[in-house]
Amino acid sequence: MSTLSAVEENYLKYIFQLSEIFENGIVKTNDLAYKLDHSAASVTDMLKKLSEKKLVAYKKYYGVSLTRNGLTIAVQVLRKHRLWETFLVKNLKFTWDKIHEIAEQLEHIQSDELIDRMDQYLGFPKFDPHGDPIPDKAGNISLPNVVCLADAKLKKQYQLANVNDDSAAFLKYLNKIQLKLNDKVKILDKEEFDETIQLLINDKKQLTISNDAAHNMWVRSVKEI
Amino acid sequence: MSTLSAVEENYLKYIFQLSEIFENGIVKTNDLAYKLDHSAASVTDMLKKLSEKKLVAYKKYYGVSLTRNGLTIAVQVLRKHRLWETFLVKNLKFTWDKIHEIAEQLEHIQSDELIDRMDQYLGFPKFDPHGDPIPDKAGNISLPNVVCLADAKLKKQYQLANVNDDSAAFLKYLNKIQLKLNDKVKILDKEEFDETIQLLINDKKQLTISNDAAHNMWVRSVKEI
DNA sequence: TATAATTTTTAGATTAGCCTAAACATTTCT
DNA sequence: AGAAATGTTTAGGCTAATCTAAAAATTATA
Ligand SMILES: [Mn+2]
Ligand SMILES: [Mn+2]
Ligand SMILES: [Mn+2]
Ligand SMILES: [Mn+2]
């Protein structure tokens, strides 16, 4: 159980996040290389190393997935990342576009007691400032019932539940158009040509957003009154 | 101004701390090697590197001292270390013997905004939980007027102002004998043979401590009433 | 299905930060 | 002052984590 390096922890975390995107849960070398902005050769090296440590199941030319041990660690890193982000916004009054980079560093601080005390200090939050679920100490993650705004139904009442947290530019854009978590959103119309979306925000403000932007937002459906 | 590695930051911090011990401010290779628990050869390597970066003035076989730039960085690392320690005790309710190791990691998180907000969140504290002065944003350190308990006068009223923070064992010992910062201490007697010290704590409790222990405590004098 | 394109791995190199052993410089002792 | 002891540097080597270029495997295309 010797502690992992920050680099190894990052690999596990990104394997986990990418594995959730693909149905079979198998992550390809190039996907990781793109995500990490490393060469494919570097990724292959690290996958062999993690495989020897039994943290991933790696098959040459096929792909990689997490073992039970690897998954446990990946989820704990995610827990730390999201608890720190919550602290930065709730207590230190950072805006949500400034926290991801700092949390990328803080998530690798090694101390179980630290993160448990932080969890308690924050009141055991379930979601981080971007609406991402925070795994609990045991590693349980509540699966929010959300749909990507790009795939949501027309004329149906939703609420903004979750935004992609790793693009500061996107979050700044949301700040600018004054769209926040839990705002009510309804798709009034979708342009066929470029899939531009007409939104109604909180029953009053109208807004046009790109399909690209919509791919970075997830919404939960809301009972109509 | 490319950012320094955690290792480089640690070297600068320890050079600063050791330089305060010696009158001339010159730190020797072996002192650093001992402090860092590295070989003298490793230290020489790093000193050459820091010297090339103009962070230290290094003369072969003579010793090393910080340049103006090196000093600025060392003090900022110390500031971060002590602010984090303060947070861990004040907010997360850690005991003072558990925080040093965690702060050794946290002090290397790179974000000026983070540490400035933390400073404000804590109410701009002047001293950390061990009584060490916290440098302000500009790098000013208040010089507390203290004397080492091993060198303090007999029968004079003092107050415990500062304890050595890098030995958890020593801090646990203080917990056990229930000695805390700001407790009143008076030396009743000093044994000639082994320099064992007889202390009076808060005008009531008597305590015998070793010369070794006394070397880890600093006291400020208190006006007698 | 053979060939071309793409993806992935292997081979070999580099840098940071450590090490040990040996050489060299300085200080201390007789 | 000369020898011995001590302190410091140099030489050479190692591991983790990256890279580029070339080779190999897989997938797509004609
Ligand atoms: Mn994040
Ligand atoms: Mn997040
Ligand atoms: Mn440190
Ligand atoms: Mn301290």
Side-chain angles (χ1 to χ4, degrees):
Chain A
M1 292 293 148
S2 73
T3 68
L4 299 183
S5 70
V7 169
E8 291 170 314
E9 286 189 342
N10 275 333
Y11 266 88
L12 295 177
K13 183 185 63 173
Y14 287 125
I15 291 168
F16 175 72
Q17 294 194 307
L18 289 173
S19 75
E20 292 205 307
I21 298 173
F22 307 111
E23 340 67 46
N24 56 8
I26 301 298
V27 177
K28 310 306 293 290
T29 300
N30 266 358
D31 296 331
L32 269 170
Y34 178 78
K35 189 81 173 176
L36 290 157
D37 194 25
H38 288 165
S39 73
S42 302
V43 172
T44 299
D45 282 350
M46 182 56 80
L47 293 183
K48 284 196 270 189
K49 190 173 144 197
L50 293 173
S51 185
E52 267 163 35
K53 295 191 177 190
K54 309 263 194 242
L55 297 169
V56 303
Y58 166 61
K59 217 172 96 188
K60 260 198 206 180
Y61 291 104
Y62 170 70
V64 73
S65 61
L66 294 172
T67 61
R68 180 171 290 268
N69 279 346
L71 177 66
T72 300
I73 293 167
V75 169
Q76 287 310 310
V77 174
L78 218 51
R79 165 173 160 80
K80 292 199 273 181
H81 182 102
R82 291 174 181 170
L83 281 172
W84 277 115
E85 286 192 342
T86 304
F87 171 73
L88 294 177
V89 168
K90 273 195 18 179
N91 300 77
L92 298 192
K93 309 302 176 195
F94 273 89
T95 53
W96 67 357
D97 55 303
K98 302 273 189 61
I99 58 179
H100 182 75
E101 272 193 48
I102 301 174
E104 284 289 318
Q105 300 177 61
L106 286 165
E107 72 192 5
H108 303 294
I109 301 293
Q110 313 259 204
S111 167
D112 288 348
E113 191 173 356
L114 174 60
I115 208 63
D116 291 344
R117 284 180 184 273
M118 183 59 85
D119 196 13
Q120 176 169 46
Y121 187 67
L122 297 172
F124 305 103
K126 291 269 187 299
F127 295 91
D128 82 4
H130 309 103
D132 292 311
I134 301 175
D136 69 15
K137 187 171 164 61
N140 306 115
I141 312 179
S142 51
L143 266 234
N145 198 253
V146 294
V147 56
C148 185
L149 182 57
D151 306 322
K153 292 195 183 118
L154 262 73
K155 315 272 182 184
K156 191 165 163 357
Q157 191 57 260
Y158 292 103
Q159 214 179 8
L160 186 60
N162 192 193
V163 299
N164 177 8
D165 78 335
D166 53 35
S167 159
F170 170 65
L171 295 170
K172 280 201 183 96
Y173 162 70
L174 292 183
N175 289 345
K176 191 157 77 187
I177 64 177
Q178 298 184 50
L179 196 48
K180 302 176 302 299
L181 282 195
N182 300 317
D183 279 354
K184 289 170 72 180
V185 295
K186 183 184 278 184
I187 300 181
L188 298 179
D189 195 26
K190 189 183 265 188
E191 176 57 47
E192 249 187 76
F193 163 61
D194 59 1
E195 294 185 285
T196 293
I197 290 173
Q198 281 291 335
L199 284 182
L200 181 67
I201 309 298
N202 291 329
D203 301 318
K204 46 177 194 287
K205 197 173 44 174
Q206 249 183 268
L207 204 62
T208 310
I209 68 167
S210 69
N211 183 255
D212 209 38
H215 267 108
N216 285 296
M217 306 184 210
W218 288 262
V219 291
R220 75 175 74 87
S221 48
V222 169
K223 304 254 177 295
E224 295 268 19
I225 30 165
Chain B
M1 295 292 150
S2 74
T3 69
L4 299 183
S5 70
V7 170
E8 292 170 315
E9 286 189 343
N10 276 332
Y11 267 86
L12 295 177
K13 183 186 64 172
Y14 288 125
I15 291 168
F16 176 71
Q17 293 194 308
L18 289 173
S19 74
E20 291 205 307
I21 297 174
F22 307 110
E23 341 66 47
N24 56 8
I26 301 299
V27 177
K28 310 305 294 287
T29 300
N30 266 0
D31 296 331
L32 269 170
Y34 178 78
K35 188 83 174 175
L36 290 157
D37 194 25
H38 287 166
S39 72
S42 302
V43 172
T44 300
D45 282 351
M46 182 56 80
L47 293 184
K48 283 197 271 189
K49 190 173 144 197
L50 292 174
S51 184
E52 267 162 37
K53 294 190 177 189
K54 310 264 192 241
L55 297 169
V56 302
Y58 166 61
K59 216 172 98 191
K60 261 198 206 180
Y61 291 103
Y62 170 72
V64 73
S65 60
L66 295 172
T67 61
R68 180 172 290 267
N69 278 347
L71 177 66
T72 300
I73 293 167
V75 169
Q76 286 310 309
V77 174
L78 218 52
R79 165 173 160 80
K80 292 199 272 182
H81 184 103
R82 293 174 180 170
L83 282 172
W84 277 114
E85 286 192 341
T86 304
F87 171 74
L88 294 176
V89 168
K90 274 197 13 182
N91 301 76
L92 299 193
K93 309 302 176 196
F94 273 90
T95 53
W96 68 356
D97 54 305
K98 302 274 189 61
I99 58 179
H100 185 75
E101 273 193 48
I102 301 174
E104 280 293 320
Q105 300 177 62
L106 286 164
E107 72 191 2
H108 305 293
I109 300 293
Q110 312 257 206
S111 167
D112 288 348
E113 191 174 354
L114 175 59
I115 208 63
D116 291 343
R117 285 179 183 272
M118 183 58 84
D119 197 13
Q120 177 168 44
Y121 187 67
L122 297 172
F124 305 102
K126 291 269 186 300
F127 295 92
D128 82 3
H130 308 104
D132 292 310
I134 301 175
D136 69 15
K137 188 172 163 60
N140 306 113
I141 311 180
S142 51
L143 265 233
N145 198 254
V146 295
V147 56
C148 185
L149 182 56
D151 307 323
K153 292 195 183 121
L154 261 74
K155 315 271 184 185
K156 190 164 163 3
Q157 192 57 261
Y158 292 102
Q159 214 180 8
L160 187 59
N162 192 192
V163 298
N164 178 7
D165 78 337
D166 54 34
S167 160
F170 170 65
L171 295 170
K172 279 200 184 95
Y173 163 71
L174 292 184
N175 289 346
K176 191 157 76 186
I177 63 175
Q178 297 183 51
L179 197 49
K180 301 176 301 301
L181 282 195
N182 299 317
D183 279 355
K184 288 170 73 180
V185 295
K186 183 183 277 183
I187 300 179
L188 299 178
D189 195 27
K190 189 182 264 186
E191 175 57 48
E192 249 186 77
F193 163 58
D194 59 0
E195 293 185 287
T196 294
I197 290 173
Q198 281 290 337
L199 282 182
L200 181 68
I201 310 297
N202 291 328
D203 300 318
K204 46 178 195 287
K205 198 173 44 171
Q206 251 184 267
L207 203 62
T208 310
I209 66 167
S210 69
N211 184 254
D212 209 37
H215 267 108
N216 285 295
M217 306 183 209
W218 287 262
V219 291
R220 76 174 73 86
S221 48
V222 170
K223 303 256 178 294
E224 295 266 18
I225 30 166

